[in-house]
Amino acid sequence: MAKIIVITSGKGGVGKTTSSASISSGLAVKGNKTVVIDFDVGLRNLDLVMNCERRVVYDFVNVINGEATLNQALIKDKYNENLYILPASQTRDKDALSKEGVEQVLNELSQRFDFIICDSPAGIEHGAQMALYFADEAIIVTNPEVSSVRDSDRILGILQSKSRRAELGEEPVKEHLLLTRYNPVRVENGEMLGVDDVKDILAIKLLGVIPESPDVLSSSNSGVPVIHNHESDAGKAYNDAVDRLLGNDVPHRFLNIEKKGFFKRMFKGSATA
Amino acid sequence: MSFLDYFKSTKKNTASIAKERLQIIVAHERGKRDQPDYLPNLQKEILEVIRKYVSINQDQVQVQLDKNDNCSVLELNVTLPE
Ligand SMILES: Nc1ncnc2c1ncn2[C@@H]1O[C@H](COP(=O)(O)OP(=O)(O)OP(=O)(O)O)[C@@H](O)[C@H]1O
Ligand SMILES: [Mg+2]
């Protein structure tokens, strides 16, 4: 039986696909059989971020409609043999994902994998609800910004009332906060919500803080999830988050300003970076 | 006061404004979504009963359900005209 984890946010463009790519890659690197599913029907993007766009033949909706088998649709990851990608369909039909169809595919995947990562589309409508419905755990991707935090709270409301676990009265979906595009300098200057502020408001457990980093763009340019970049702060932060997801107690990094050169020396002792 | 704090204090701390605004709106929205489905109807019927005696508008009756640890409190606020 696989663990089903949805990566969701409500608000668009906060880093769900970036996080899905890195977290699924990290789980695979650490030896877990993992599949990552793109639920963004009509706006397929995970294939690009994971550098398999030219190998897409069949997609999620083809499998649901019986036009292809799972084996035909699953794409083996370029970088790790434990990881497979199930791409989204480019159909314009937003309702192409039926609850029964999704359930059937997840059941089949569940036999073969340890983790199923669901990359949710933005919004709180059908597509987002399908992505979260069967989840055992949810990673709420949030930017330190008012509209993102508010939307995260709304998606938490949906997880608590409209997920399968909620409807069946089972143990609730386990919720994790992933704060991304974090800029400690701006937090220190009082221009950006800090990690404790967001934790206070959403009141869920912190999985990780991913710093704002130019490496994220360069990694999506080249189609190598940033977690594979061992020099990058963002890559390291994703790696820590995956360790925490696997139950390890890893201290948080990159929350404070890293002082460099002259300043580093000057602030030594008082700084906690 | 350190030299960094000096620069901080010259600029308005917009993050704390953001936090305050978020705390209010999130609390409000959570209150709404935790409401039982019957609440709007309850409010409508209460309004009708009061209207038999005094003429008031929809917005002069406020019904709110607050959950505490082991009980719920139904709060009814009616503003009567002079
Ligand atoms: N930590 C980061 N630092 C810098 N840029 C980032 C970071 N995380 C994400 N981005 C950038 O933000 C943009 C949106 O990211 P992404 O596509 O992952 O968001 P999304 O939530 O999946 O969007 P959508 O809602 O459209 O599916 C991308 O251009 C990505 O490169
Ligand atoms: Mg996306």
Side-chain angles (χ1 to χ4, degrees), chain A residues 9 11-19 40 119-122 180-181 210-214 216-217 220 234 238:
Chain A
S9 67
K11 189 170 160 64
V14 295
K16 293 179 293 297
T17 300
T18 304
S19 301
D40 208 340
D119 179 16
S120 174
T180 60
R181 312 202 68 160
I210 314 297
E212 170 81 22
S213 159
V216 173
L217 180 60
S220 79
Y238 273 119

Side-chain angles (χ1 to χ4, degrees), chain A residues 77-134:
Chain A
D77 180 51
K78 271 205 174 137
Y79 311 103
N80 193 285
E81 56 174 19
N82 289 325
L83 181 60
Y84 286 81
I85 298 123
L86 184 56
S89 163
Q90 292 288 43
T91 173
R92 298 236 199 97
D93 177 11
K94 287 283 172 204
D95 297 327
L97 300 180
S98 63
K99 200 178 269 180
E100 297 69 33
V102 172
E103 180 169 29
Q104 195 196 318
V105 173
L106 291 178
N107 280 342
E108 206 175 320
L109 289 172
S110 199
Q111 316 286 317
R112 298 170 43 183
F113 291 94
D114 302 319
F115 286 95
I116 302 175
I117 305 296
C118 305
D119 179 16
S120 174
I124 53 174
E125 302 305 321
H126 183 74
Q129 294 200 13
M130 283 303 106
L132 68 76
Y133 187 75
F134 296 97

